[in-house]
Structures are given as structure tokens and as C-alpha cells.
Amino acid sequence: MGDGTATADLDIALERHRTELTGYCYRMLGSSFEAEDAVQDTLVRAWRSYDKFEGRSSLRSWLYRIATNVCLDMLTAGSKRARPMDLTESTPLAQAALSPRPDNTWLEPVPDARVLPAVGDPAEAAVAKESIRLAFMAALQQLPPKQRAVLILREVLAWKASEVAELLDTTVASVNSALQRARATLAEREAAGDRGAVSDPLDEEQQKLLERYVKAFEGYDMTALTALLHEDAVMTMPPFDLWLRGPADITGFMTTLGASCAGSRLLPVTANGLPGFAHYKPDPDNGGFSPWAVQVLELSDGRITGFHCFLDTKRWFPLFDLPLHLEAEADEVEKSG
């Protein structure tokens, strides 16, 4: 690599692609942590073999080729990440039991900023956001790895079939056929009712819905919460495989197994192109509030349709740059004193 300036220039050139490559690897792998590892591996490989890069393609498409190979290698074990409702039937509240499954079972949430590069074109930004939503991500995970790569490159990143064929060392005909099969699988899942339409940015009605939600949740007002939940609303809590459907079971869970969440605080976050909250619950031992979950909400037709709580706070709160403790506000301290 010769002199230091060239080295620094290459560093900057590679680094410029980090966010979009993380988004690509996240869509391929369904894991925010594995995506970051894959990108690190991609940039190291690019660095080591840069003298072999002959500039026949752009640096960007060369990096995507390396990233695709890294992801396909990571996916050979046939691992498919999923949501609880992809694995089991919903559980009636009376039978609710909290049994965890290993981390690598689950589709993981991701902060928007880590996977969505700033783009000037609003239409392009909207497609990028939609393509990291939980329902779309879960559908992607059902596709065989090569079909997944083709669908992301063609539909999300708008590459030409000829560019994808070159990247995957295959023919345009096989790229087109993989894309058709992938689209058919996704259409079937959509027909099965994967919802979650969210405006970008949120419209006024959705903003108000979220304000009402925060008020109802922090006040632990189950009547108010029931009014905000769609009749088919789903609640999930990875790493547990339990999931609940319908306001009665969701609020029933919150007042029984989840009763210690009364008096919680919510801080807004954006995850997977959807509105979300960092959920802190009262900490009776140390005062203030301790982390409990990153909540990601799906909204449709003025109601909450999905209420997804990612409970592994030791992993999620640092990923979202969230504090690991909230102090009680002065007026709360006075009330309790």
C-alpha cells in the first residue's frame, strides 16, 4: 500500500460505505451484531486485497461483492432468524409461560442510524426504511440466502439485473428467476396479513397515537391502552417464544406477569424504520429507573398492531446509546418522600 497518505485515503474511502453495507448485511443476516461483524470482515478483506482490485467495477460494487460472500458464508448453516409468531402459535394468557430461546433464534432490532445512510431522495429513503421494518425483515429471513441477496440488491438498492449477475457470478436469467421466486414468497406472506403501515415521517394522527400510548403506558392505564390496540394486535418479548394476540390477553399479561412495569418511563427511539421506546421500570433497590426493554411499535389504521419488546437490555441499550439508569425526577422524589 505504499505511503501513509494513500493508506489514509483508502481508509476514508472504505469507511464512507460502512452504514449502507451494515444495512445490507443486516437485511441479509437479521442480526445487528452479526451485521457489524460482517462489515468489519468485509472492510478488512477489502483492505488486504486492495492491490488486486483492478477498478473494473466501482469500489462500491466491489465492496458489495465481498460483503455478499461474507454473508453467504455466515448463512450456510441454514440459520433463519425469526419472530416468535414465525415459530409457534399464540398462547392464551392462562397458559403463558416464559421460556427463552438462544439469541441466534431471533430477528434483532437495529437503530435506524446504523443502517440507513443519509440520502437526498425522499422516495429512496422511504424504500430503505420500509425494507428494515420487522415484518419485511422476517419475510426476508424465509428466503434462501441467494434469493435474499438478489431481492435486496434489485428491489431495495435498485441494482440492474446485469450488475447483480456480475456480482453473484451468474446469468441475468438466473437473477430474474431468483427475483420472481423471492417476490412470490413475499407476496404470500403479505396475503397472510403482515401489516404495519407507518408514514415517513409520522403523520399527525400517528404522532397523537404515540403520545396517547406513552401516557397510557406510563400511567399503566389498561382501559386507555385497550383503546389504542388493534383487535388483532400482537405482543412479542424475545428472547421468550411466548406471544400474545388481542388487547385482553396483552393487558391481562401486563397486569399479572408484567405488573412490576407499573410506573415505568419511556424514552423515544427509532428502530427498524418504526417508532419505538426505551422502556425503564422502577428500580426499588437503587431508586430511579432501570432498563427493561426496547419496544418497537407497528401502527396501522390509527391503532397499534404490533408491540414488540426486546428484553436483552445488556445488548440493546448500549447498541441504541441509551443510559443504563434513569434518575427519578425531583417531583417524584418528593412524592415518595
Side-chain angles (χ1 to χ4, degrees):
M1 268 306 310
D3 64 74
T5 318
T7 304
D9 288 349
L10 178 60
D11 268 343
I12 292 164
L14 294 176
E15 212 38 61
R16 203 172 288 148
H17 297 281
R18 182 181 289 273
T19 306
E20 65 167 312
L21 287 171
T22 307
Y24 176 61
C25 295
Y26 173 65
R27 294 178 186 101
M28 283 292 289
L29 301 168
S31 158
S32 19
F33 294 105
E34 282 184 4
E36 299 206 338
D37 290 347
V39 171
Q40 203 47 43
D41 192 4
T42 297
L43 297 180
V44 167
R45 289 188 195 190
W47 176 258
R48 288 200 185 125
S49 54
Y50 187 70
D51 51 359
K52 296 196 193 82
F53 170 58
E54 291 156 6
R56 277 198 303 243
S57 61
S58 69
L59 178 66
R60 179 175 182 247
S61 55
W62 182 61
L63 287 170
Y64 269 93
R65 174 190 281 262
I66 299 171
T68 302
N69 289 331
V70 168
C71 290
L72 292 175
D73 287 348
M74 288 170 82
L75 288 166
T76 47
S79 53
K80 281 182 186 174
R81 287 175 177 267
R83 300 170 301 172
M85 50 279 202
D86 302 322
L87 300 180
T88 60
E89 294 299 314
S90 66
T91 312
L93 182 61
Q95 292 158 24
L98 295 177
S99 45
R101 295 203 191 190
D103 287 342
N104 64 1
T105 311
W106 303 117
L107 177 62
E108 296 181 352
V110 75
D112 286 10
R114 287 188 183 242
V115 291
L116 296 176
V119 289
D121 175 3
E124 202 181 313
V127 168
K129 236 179 196 186
E130 277 167 27
S131 69
I132 58 166
R133 299 229 168 110
L134 294 171
F136 184 80
M137 286 291 302
L140 276 181
Q141 303 307 302
Q142 300 302 311
L143 301 174
K146 278 241 165 95
Q147 276 184 37
R148 206 179 299 178
V150 167
L151 185 96
I152 299 164
L153 291 162
R154 292 281 286 116
E155 303 271 280
V156 178
L157 299 170
W159 286 40
K160 297 189 180 90
S162 55
E163 294 169 327
V164 177
E166 193 178 331
L167 180 137
L168 292 170
D169 289 325
T170 183
T171 62
V172 167
S174 80
V175 165
N176 289 337
S177 127
L179 181 60
Q180 265 178 324
R181 289 199 302 277
R183 278 179 179 157
T185 305
L186 293 196
E188 257 167 52
R189 283 183 68 96
E190 270 172 31
D194 270 332
R195 293 186 316 270
V198 182
S199 317
D200 179 34
L202 293 178
D203 63 33
E204 197 180 339
E205 185 192 10
Q206 290 168 342
Q207 289 284 13
K208 285 198 174 125
L209 174 64
L210 291 178
E211 283 162 24
R212 287 165 63 202
Y213 167 73
V214 170
K215 196 173 167 191
F217 193 94
E218 291 189 343
Y220 232 55
D221 178 342
M222 295 302 139
T223 308
L225 198 59
T226 298
L228 305 179
L229 292 170
H230 190 279
E231 63 192 24
D232 289 330
V234 163
M235 179 183 186
T236 67
M237 290 161 281
F240 300 116
D241 58 13
L242 166 78
W243 63 282
L244 301 164
R245 187 190 287 281
D249 276 2
I250 292 172
T251 56
F253 178 88
M254 288 169 69
T255 49
T256 53
L257 291 175
S260 63
C261 291
S264 289
R265 285 285 163 274
L266 298 180
L267 297 184
V269 296
T270 48
N272 293 82
L274 295 163
F277 296 93
H279 170 193
Y280 292 82
K281 70 179 194 178
D283 183 342
D285 300 329
N286 306 305
F289 301 88
S290 54
W292 184 247
V294 169
Q295 302 179 354
V296 184
L297 302 187
E298 292 170 313
L299 315 177
S300 190
D301 303 326
R303 291 275 184 279
I304 294 166
T305 53
F307 172 54
H308 305 289
C309 305
F310 294 92
L311 299 181
D312 190 348
T313 51
K314 286 192 178 70
R315 298 172 84 216
W316 304 129
F317 276 56
L319 183 75
F320 282 82
D321 294 325
L322 291 161
L324 291 173
H325 185 77
L326 288 187
E327 293 303 329
E329 288 158 20
D331 60 338
E332 287 166 353
V333 175
E334 275 167 32
K335 273 182 219 157
S336 62

